[in-house]
Amino acid sequence: MGNVVGADSLRWYRPIREARAPGPTLLWLHGGGFFRGTPEQPEAHDVARVLAEQGVTVVTAAYRLAPFPGTGRFRPRPAGPQERFRLPLDDVVAAARAVSAVSPHGVVLGGASAGACLAAAATLHALDDGAPPVGAIFAYGFFHARHPRDGDPAHRSRGHRRITHAPWALDVANRNHAGTRQALAHRYAFPGGHDLTGFPPTLVVDAERDTMRTSGGRFASELADAGTDVERHVLADSAHAFLNRPGLPAFTTGTALIAEWIGRRPGHG
């Protein structure tokens, strides 16, 4: 899973123009199924750049990745915990604390796909620490140890993702991230289905043609049932990872929704 990721991995994107009023900082995490991805990919870099242009201060962070699914048994056993999910979570928690220390108006935790799951887990961790973020943002995330099955064809991924994002394939990636079957049930591995009391206001932006939309919708409902102020959008005619393709209309719509939502957090005019 690589070396421990430190605070020096943080990348700050500050607005060129002054916002109307100071607001929270967004800590934004890339996706990649927990086993790939970097802060350099468009889903992190371009999202942060565009949001900064719209007046939002954004920080991206690296986190330790799991091995490619199915190859872990051929690699030396890591020195860290067998609960593999704790390694990237530790990195995200450390990043959140570092950002919070220099963000007087609070931190919003957010991410896309696997990054959304990690951001949700880090939010629970912060709640347990008594230092919750002021908000959370999840783009086409998945949050449940076993991916919810949905028979509606409109909720399914298309093209090559019909295979790579099939529920059984997503379950394999989840098991790879957790590290053990027992770890799948931990609320820090997959927050879906657990107690979400105290979760901060949350924005959920999902893709219409995305198998993971089912988990995103269920998690939004679970948050609402726990008393969280939830705003959810399903972008029409969009597919998973639209934030990784800056040329798509969904990228423009998604980033605009995020900027507008953060602009309504305490501290903004």
Side-chain angles (χ1 to χ4, degrees):
M1 303 222 8
N3 296 324
V4 176
V5 177
D8 57 353
S9 73
L10 300 180
R11 296 187 175 195
W12 287 79
Y13 297 74
R14 302 183 188 277
I16 297 176
R17 59 179 176 81
E18 286 293 327
R20 289 179 297 168
T25 300
L26 172 63
L27 175 60
W28 185 253
L29 306 173
H30 66 83
F34 304 112
F35 64 91
R36 62 182 178 181
T38 73
E40 287 82 18
Q41 68 192 57
E43 193 173 64
H45 171 70
D46 284 276
V47 168
R49 175 183 57 79
V50 169
L51 290 177
E53 291 173 355
Q54 298 183 50
V56 180
T57 299
V58 186
V59 182
T60 63
Y63 54 84
R64 282 171 286 184
L65 302 175
F68 190 88
T71 65
R73 57 185 166 178
F74 301 114
R75 297 185 179 187
R77 184 177 295 277
Q82 291 190 24
E83 293 180 327
R84 188 180 287 156
F85 71 87
R86 291 189 181 274
L87 299 178
L89 178 61
D90 285 350
D91 295 334
V92 175
V93 169
R97 289 172 176 166
V99 173
S100 179
V102 292
S103 300
H105 299 282
V107 175
V108 173
L109 295 182
S113 195
C117 183
L118 286 170
T123 299
L124 289 182
H125 197 289
L127 286 171
D128 292 345
D129 285 347
V134 299
I137 299 175
F138 306 131
Y140 44 83
F142 52 100
F143 308 92
H144 298 85
R146 185 175 185 270
H147 193 83
R149 271 57 175 172
D150 192 321
D152 188 343
H155 293 187
R156 299 175 190 167
S157 300
R158 301 180 183 179
H160 72 278
R161 291 195 177 102
R162 292 181 61 185
I163 298 175
T164 59
H165 288 182
W168 66 265
L170 296 175
D171 290 347
V172 169
N174 285 1
R175 168 68 169 77
N176 186 57
H177 167 62
T180 67
R181 292 189 182 279
Q182 292 75 19
L184 282 166
H186 200 291
R187 61 197 286 268
Y188 286 170
F190 294 97
H194 294 281
D195 183 9
L196 302 173
T197 302
F199 219 88
T202 301
L203 172 67
V204 177
V205 183
D206 285 330
E208 181 181 31
R209 302 191 308 272
D210 184 5
T211 304
M212 298 182 205
R213 167 184 166 184
T214 307
S215 182
R218 180 175 294 185
F219 192 60
S221 295
E222 293 169 353
L223 286 170
D225 290 343
T228 300
D229 177 8
V230 181
E231 179 179 326
R232 184 177 184 236
H233 300 264
V234 178
L235 302 192
D237 198 33
S238 63
H240 190 80
F242 57 77
L243 291 179
N244 221 21
R245 300 179 67 184
L248 293 179
F251 178 96
T252 302
T253 301
T255 51
L257 285 170
I258 292 171
E260 192 274 334
W261 188 87
I262 292 178
R264 290 188 269 120
R265 294 307 94 202
H268 271 287

